[in-house]
Amino acid sequence: SRASQRRREGVRILLVGERGVGKTSLILSLVSEEFPEDDDGGEDGPEDGMRIGSVLPAKAEEITIPADVTPENVPTHIVDFSEAEQTEEMLCAELRRAHVVCVVYAANDSNSLLKVTSRWLPIIRRCCDPEWPEPCPCWHIDEEAEVDLVGDDVEELVQPHAPPHLPPPPVILVGNKVDLVDEPSIDMVLTIMEQYPEIESCIECSAKTLKNISEMFYYAQKAVLHPTAPLYHMDEQD
Ligand code: GTP
């Protein structure tokens, strides 16, 4: 079965979302169990705005967590996405390799939540659902083209126009930075979940206080190994 295959191969979790919502911080907080303080130089920083001493890279390295320290006992690969460093084709290729996608917004930034439905969920459908009527931009690129994903071996070059795996990956909706808000965004999130059944679950967390960080990655593992939501494209089948 798909779940037992995943148990052998491991679960691949991809984080996407608007810039600055805290994707890299979430990954580093999980791994180090402490918040990576973003030292951008502050008032003592250099005048040209160069970041010195920052521990926060634009994109976290791909991280593999060994099976024995994960709650589901499955090797887990965690992959960051950075618009600053990666192209739309690389995003599409990563989406097609992901077993589950965490779409991250910042709880204190309503625009980042609006972009979940106006931008990120449509990109995932367009790249990962072969029956999606609107063509993925990656289908237009050169037949010979391959995307060299940062940090991958040469043999792992991905052809972005290759058909995506079925079924499309489940989505976890992640509201980060809850330490900065008093009110949860649950009403809006529930409305989104009704419209997008590929969302398996939602969680609010904080990379800063570490609230719900391990839970978020556990939900993602669980969505792959024990899916509960019917996949949205199955509605059309007999
Ligand atoms: P891009 O690389 O631009 O896509 O950003 P990103 O989504 O990886 O966000 P990043 O981890 O770089 O964090 C952006 C800023 O938000 C940094 O200054 C972080 O310190 C801050 N930040 C991240 N998570 C939290 C959080 O839970 N609470 C608070 N208060 N700040 C956070």
Side-chain angles (χ1 to χ4, degrees), residues 1-12 64-67 72-77 99 224-225:
S1 74
R2 194 173 299 274
S4 57
Q5 188 189 348
R6 289 285 175 265
R7 282 199 174 273
R8 283 195 311 276
E9 292 174 0
V11 170
R12 192 173 174 88
T64 299
I65 300 179
E72 287 281 343
N73 207 30
V74 181
T76 301
H77 312 284
H99 301 144
V224 180
L225 300 169

Side-chain angles (χ1 to χ4, degrees), residues 9 11 15 39 42 44 70 89 95 108 118 128 141 143 147 159 177 194-195 207-208 217 220:
E9 292 174 0
V11 170
L15 278 73
D39 176 12
D44 306 325
T70 70
E89 284 79 25
L95 285 169
N108 66 335
S118 68
C128 299
I141 71 174
E143 289 277 309
V147 176
Q159 295 190 310
K177 308 197 189 185
E194 273 167 29
Q195 291 163 359
K208 183 160 189 171
F217 289 97

Side-chain angles (χ1 to χ4, degrees), residues 20-22 26 105-108 175-181 205-208:
V21 294
L26 286 168
Y105 64 93
N108 66 335
N176 186 37
K177 308 197 189 185
V178 279
D179 58 289
L180 297 177
V181 296
C205 61
S206 166
K208 183 160 189 171

Side-chain angles (χ1 to χ4, degrees), residues 53-207:
S54 175
V55 291
L56 204 52
K59 179 177 182 291
E61 295 294 323
E62 183 175 328
I63 283 160
T64 299
I65 300 179
D68 57 355
V69 292
T70 70
E72 287 281 343
N73 207 30
V74 181
T76 301
H77 312 284
I78 302 178
V79 183
D80 195 4
F81 177 75
S82 165
E83 259 180 271
E85 292 190 354
Q86 294 175 286
T87 63
E88 186 92 356
E89 284 79 25
M90 290 159 103
L91 170 62
C92 189
E94 284 292 13
L95 285 169
R96 289 178 178 194
R97 301 173 82 199
H99 301 144
V100 53
V101 181
C102 293
V103 178
V104 184
Y105 64 93
N108 66 335
D109 173 8
S110 55
N111 182 54
S112 70
L113 181 54
L114 288 173
K115 287 289 173 71
V116 167
T117 49
S118 68
R119 182 172 184 213
W120 294 101
L121 292 168
I123 289 180
I124 296 170
R125 286 185 171 186
R126 198 182 61 203
C127 288
C128 299
D129 184 348
E131 285 165 20
W132 194 248
E134 181 195 341
C136 175
C138 299
W139 291 79
H140 299 304
I141 71 174
D142 183 359
E143 289 277 309
E144 303 292 311
E146 289 177 319
V147 176
D148 189 1
L149 297 171
V150 176
D152 272 341
D153 296 329
V154 177
E155 306 90 79
E156 276 200 273
L157 285 174
V158 175
Q159 295 190 310
H161 58 272
H165 292 295
L166 279 173
V171 170
I172 310 291
L173 195 51
V174 178
N176 186 37
K177 308 197 189 185
V178 279
D179 58 289
L180 297 177
V181 296
D182 301 324
E183 298 273 307
S185 38
I186 198 71
D187 285 349
M188 179 128 173
V189 165
L190 289 176
T191 311
I192 296 173
M193 286 183 78
E194 273 167 29
Q195 291 163 359
Y196 292 85
E198 62 267 44
I199 301 175
E200 176 86 19
S201 49
C202 64
I203 186 163
E204 294 207 316
C205 61
S206 166

